[in-house]
């Protein structure tokens, strides 16, 4: 299997690259350091500093048995993507993970909002046109987000909805209205992929993912390859990863508003499982297959309470602090998403047990001194 | 009224600018020649060549009684838009007409597709963030397209749909799935505006327009101001304008496929009426108001037959030629859009009568020698 993996230096991209090489895929891994540059501009560091993409890639290349090639390409440029497909294609699978992943980042200013939209929409456009031109049989796997749906007052189906209206009926993408420019950019890329599937008969899988948590990798791995970025700041740290870092730093767990906001969550172990399963069982030509990639739903307050309880086992006695909600979002809403189809594909969920949390605590505690508590509250406001 | 008019050099932008100055509005008109540059790159000319934006603006400025200022600004750059609002704002109304308007252009290559998406999405992003920052009370008027809805098998409502599902209900943007990258870019901008309205409480009107036809202006106006661009080529010429030019040039009327594709159409006279009515009766803060801006529906074959019949009065005996459809679209489909709300606002529709067509023929015939028949078939394929 020839795999093109875009955004290979990321929180999901890198462990996915490792898993693909373990399964003996031929991997063409692309990253231009877009996210590292964003973090640098905001003076944000992950918990541990990891050697740059090409350096850790060369270590991986030297140690893995599979064929692995790392490329530094700006994918927002059409000619670059066209050349990439011409020189290294055709591919069997294209993973499009090269997107700006942070809602708060997209809301800082007109400039970061523009950066989010143009990066995410441009790269997806370029990938789709290149696939249509050079390898229309390839399978596209794209990470969407559960945030595209927002919090509607009806059950959230997996991607599609049959609508009856005035005696006639049709099937549509499930209605989406998101809570940030970032999430809106993901609505846009889903729409673009759906157009490409209808127009060129491409084959695509859209994974509507909830906030991911966990480590998967070994932060203390000696050869740089097993490590992964772990962000705990307000901009790039997902909520559970942030709570664990706060607990370890003896910082209150900061819950926005009432904390009754419900979301679907997923362990990074399962996220990588899903990305592999989608590749091993591809969508058909002319099919856009959509999965809701979550394994459990919790309110933000429930998550905070779980972390508070797990922290006690390590003698961290942290309090939960309700702060003014910087986001514009409903704090008390109906939420009933369906998420059974990935299990049919073979996903074995990893639940958020006390044991799973303890493992996170064990890893993070060893890097306690690196935590910069000023990054827990960067005060990006939606208003 | 202080009006910011973006895309003021366009087919709709310029006549709107004239109308606004007649109504004594203070107009800040912006255009950077984006569309003229695209046309030049494709060697496409409108029927008559019109002096550049700043030149014809200076004539308008010298002759009209209202305050009129023309600015050449690249609106895809955030800092430029921010500065524009700081220096010339606040505004009462912002017209966002600065979008790449052609479906075929967006389908030529990955490069034109990217250009369409990044122009349309970036400018709308910049305008929304600037409004939220500098004049949140201003009313945004944006041109969407009926093409966002595509051709669903249910009645098309004006922007919104109440959905009942498993015993619960909610109200959503009407489902949209478009037939080109251009139309998909308009879905994206609608979604972005809807986010901005919910997040910042902006006031916005989205005009879902069908293909526009007609002249409005006097092509033979002596002082350059009354003239307007009239495109008849495959890329920028809307279907009825193209048919009339074909008839005048004794060229067959080229109908794609079966010609049973139904669409909603509108005379440019009415388009300008609607743009004025929306300004005079703005949406409220926190409201996204959506109108379907069409006055009649026809199949493409019906349009061709109307033109063929009108042509006979001028002794043009043109035949209708069914050509292979370069687009991926349904040629036989249900189509029942609602379009009554603009009439409630005061729109008096201008129907497509034989007389209306005769007036178009009279104007176009005087420029018959300028028609470049090679531009009727530029063969942009969707595949």
């Amino acid at each position: 299997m020839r795999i093109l993996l875009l955004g290979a230096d990321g929180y999901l991209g890198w462990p996915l690259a490792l898993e693909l090489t373990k399964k003996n895929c031929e991997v063409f891994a692309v990253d231009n350091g877009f996210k590292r540059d964003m973090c640098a501009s905001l003076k944000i560091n992950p918990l541990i500093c990891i050697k740059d993409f090409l350096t850790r890639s060369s270590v991986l290349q030297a140690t893995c048995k599979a064929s692995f090639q790392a490329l530094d390409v700006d994918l927002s440029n059409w000619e670059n993507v066209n050349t990439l497909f011409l020189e290294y294609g055709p591919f069997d699978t294209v993973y499009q993970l090269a997107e700006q992943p942070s809602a708060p980042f997209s809301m800082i200013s007109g400039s970061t909002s523009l950066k989010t939209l143009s990066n995410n929409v441009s790269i997806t456009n370029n990938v789709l046109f290149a696939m249509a031109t050079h390898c229309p049989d390839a399978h596209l796997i794209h990470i969407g987000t559960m945030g595209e749906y927002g919090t509607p007052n009806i059950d959230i189906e997996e991607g599609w909805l049959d609508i009856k209206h005035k005696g006639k009926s049709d099937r549509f993408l499930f209605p989406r209205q998101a809570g940030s420019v970032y999430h809106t950019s993901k609505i846009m890329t889903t729409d673009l992929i759906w157009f490409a599937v209808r127009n060129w008969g491409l084959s695509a899988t859209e994974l509507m993912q909830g906030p991911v948590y966990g480590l998967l990798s070994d932060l203390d791995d000696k050869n740089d390859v097993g490590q992964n970025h772990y962000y705990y700041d307000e901009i790039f740290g997902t909520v559970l990863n942030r709570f664990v870092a706060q607990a370890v730093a003896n910082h209150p767990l900061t819950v926005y508003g009432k904390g009754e906001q419900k979301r679907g969550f997923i362990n990074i172990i399962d996220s990588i499982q899903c990305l592999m399963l989608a590749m091993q069982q591809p969508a058909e030509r002319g099919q856009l297959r959509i999965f809701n990639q979550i394994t459990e739903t919790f309110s933000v307050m429930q998550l905070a309470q779980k972390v508070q309880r797990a922290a006690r086992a390590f003698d961290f006695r942290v309090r939960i602090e309700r702060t003014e909600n910087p986001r514009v979002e409903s704090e008390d809403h109906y939420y009933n998403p369906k998420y059974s189809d990935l299990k049919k594909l073979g996903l074995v969920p990893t639940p958020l047990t006390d044991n799973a949390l303890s493992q996170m605590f064990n890893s993070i505690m060893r890097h306690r001194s690196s935590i910069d508590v000023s990054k827990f509250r960067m005060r990006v406001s939606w208003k």
Side-chain angles (χ1 to χ4, degrees), chain A:
Chain A
M1 292 283 275
R2 290 169 68 85
I3 312 277
L4 179 65
L5 170 54
L6 309 176
D9 191 40
Y11 176 55
L12 297 178
W14 187 255
L16 177 59
L18 297 187
E19 191 62 26
L20 288 165
T21 57
K22 278 183 205 155
K23 290 286 186 295
N24 228 24
C25 296
E26 192 175 353
V27 180
F28 301 84
V30 181
D31 209 295
N32 73 334
F34 177 87
K35 185 170 168 186
R36 291 191 193 228
D37 291 346
M38 283 189 302
C39 290
S41 74
L42 296 166
K43 299 188 172 55
I44 288 171
N45 289 309
L47 189 61
I48 50 165
C49 284
I50 291 175
K51 293 211 175 103
D52 69 84
F53 175 58
L54 294 182
T55 304
R56 65 170 170 163
S57 289
S58 66
V59 179
L60 174 59
Q61 195 173 21
T63 53
C64 79
K65 286 176 189 163
S67 162
F68 181 86
Q69 196 159 347
L71 303 156
D72 177 344
V73 180
D74 176 3
L75 300 163
S76 66
N77 177 297
W78 157 248
E79 287 305 334
N80 290 351
V81 176
N82 195 38
T83 305
L84 178 70
F85 275 72
L86 271 172
E87 283 189 14
Y88 298 95
F91 309 105
D92 300 296
T93 303
V94 177
Y95 284 103
Q96 165 32 353
L97 274 59
E99 297 195 353
Q100 191 295 96
S102 161
F105 180 85
S106 75
M107 299 303 295
I108 295 172
S109 69
S111 168
T112 62
S113 167
L114 179 60
K115 198 162 184 167
T116 303
L117 289 165
S118 44
N119 181 75
N120 295 5
V121 172
S122 299
I123 296 182
T124 302
N125 168 77
N126 295 345
V127 168
L128 291 168
F129 245 93
M131 286 178 67
T133 310
H134 303 296
C135 52
D137 286 321
H139 176 215
L140 176 72
I141 300 175
H142 179 254
I143 294 269
T145 161
M146 289 296 290
E148 294 180 42
Y149 303 124
T151 53
N153 195 44
I154 61 174
D155 288 2
I156 298 173
E157 304 298 331
E158 300 211 35
W160 305 94
L161 188 64
D162 293 308
I163 294 178
K164 281 188 192 165
H165 181 54
K166 296 184 178 169
K168 296 187 66 78
S169 64
D170 207 344
R171 186 175 177 78
F172 299 96
L173 284 174
F174 193 92
R176 289 154 300 141
Q177 50 187 8
S180 75
V181 168
Y182 155 72
H183 290 102
T184 305
S185 81
K186 303 293 267 189
I187 293 179
M188 295 176 178
T189 48
T190 302
D191 279 316
L192 201 56
I193 292 168
W194 176 218
F195 168 73
V197 165
R198 282 174 293 135
N199 193 70
W200 293 303
L202 299 185
S203 140
T205 297
E206 178 85 341
L207 299 168
M208 298 295 206
Q209 188 171 245
V212 185
Y213 62 84
L215 286 151
L216 187 56
S217 55
D218 179 2
L219 288 182
D220 301 298
D221 188 272
K222 287 290 175 291
N223 77 358
D224 300 322
V225 165
Q227 298 178 338
N228 198 8
H229 299 290
Y230 184 92
Y231 288 96
Y232 56 87
D233 57 276
E234 188 193 290
I235 313 276
F236 293 105
T238 50
V239 57
L240 186 61
N241 287 1
R242 195 166 70 236
F243 283 163
V244 173
Q246 287 180 328
V248 168
N250 260 322
H251 186 282
L253 310 185
T254 47
V255 167
Y256 297 158
K258 290 204 274 181
E260 294 301 311
Q261 307 92 314
K262 289 181 207 67
R263 298 289 184 272
F265 296 88
I266 185 165
N267 191 310
I268 189 170
I269 296 169
D270 294 352
S271 193
I272 302 302
Q273 260 196 81
C274 294
L275 284 159
M276 292 298 291
L277 286 165
M279 182 267 289
Q280 288 152 350
Q281 300 162 69
E284 297 184 3
R285 283 291 304 260
Q287 183 192 14
L288 170 60
R289 194 173 54 160
I290 305 181
F291 296 108
N292 292 345
Q293 187 163 306
I294 57 176
T295 58
E296 294 168 287
T297 65
F298 303 107
S299 73
V300 173
M301 185 55 78
Q302 284 174 320
L303 271 191
Q305 287 163 345
K306 275 176 177 282
V307 173
Q308 188 181 44
R309 193 171 59 234
R312 281 197 203 111
F314 295 87
D315 278 335
F316 295 115
R317 305 204 160 265
V318 291
R319 60 189 177 82
I320 294 172
E321 183 186 300
R322 282 203 183 90
T323 65
E324 195 190 340
N325 195 341
R327 305 188 176 204
V328 176
E329 65 184 1
S330 188
E331 290 174 13
D332 193 2
H333 57 88
Y334 184 73
Y335 198 62
N336 191 23
K338 293 290 170 306
Y339 49 95
S340 54
D341 288 353
L342 278 164
K343 278 179 264 185
K344 291 178 201 155
L345 221 63
L347 169 66
V348 183
T350 307
L352 182 59
T353 58
D354 285 351
N355 187 40
L357 277 169
S358 293
Q359 284 179 19
M360 285 180 71
F361 271 91
N362 273 319
S363 293
I364 307 304
M365 276 164 57
R366 284 198 294 276
H367 299 273
R368 188 181 176 185
S369 61
S370 306
I371 296 173
D372 175 358
V373 296
S374 75
K375 297 297 187 263
F376 291 141
R377 304 189 196 202
M378 298 185 68
R379 305 190 194 284
V380 175
S381 168
W382 261 230
K383 277 291 178 191

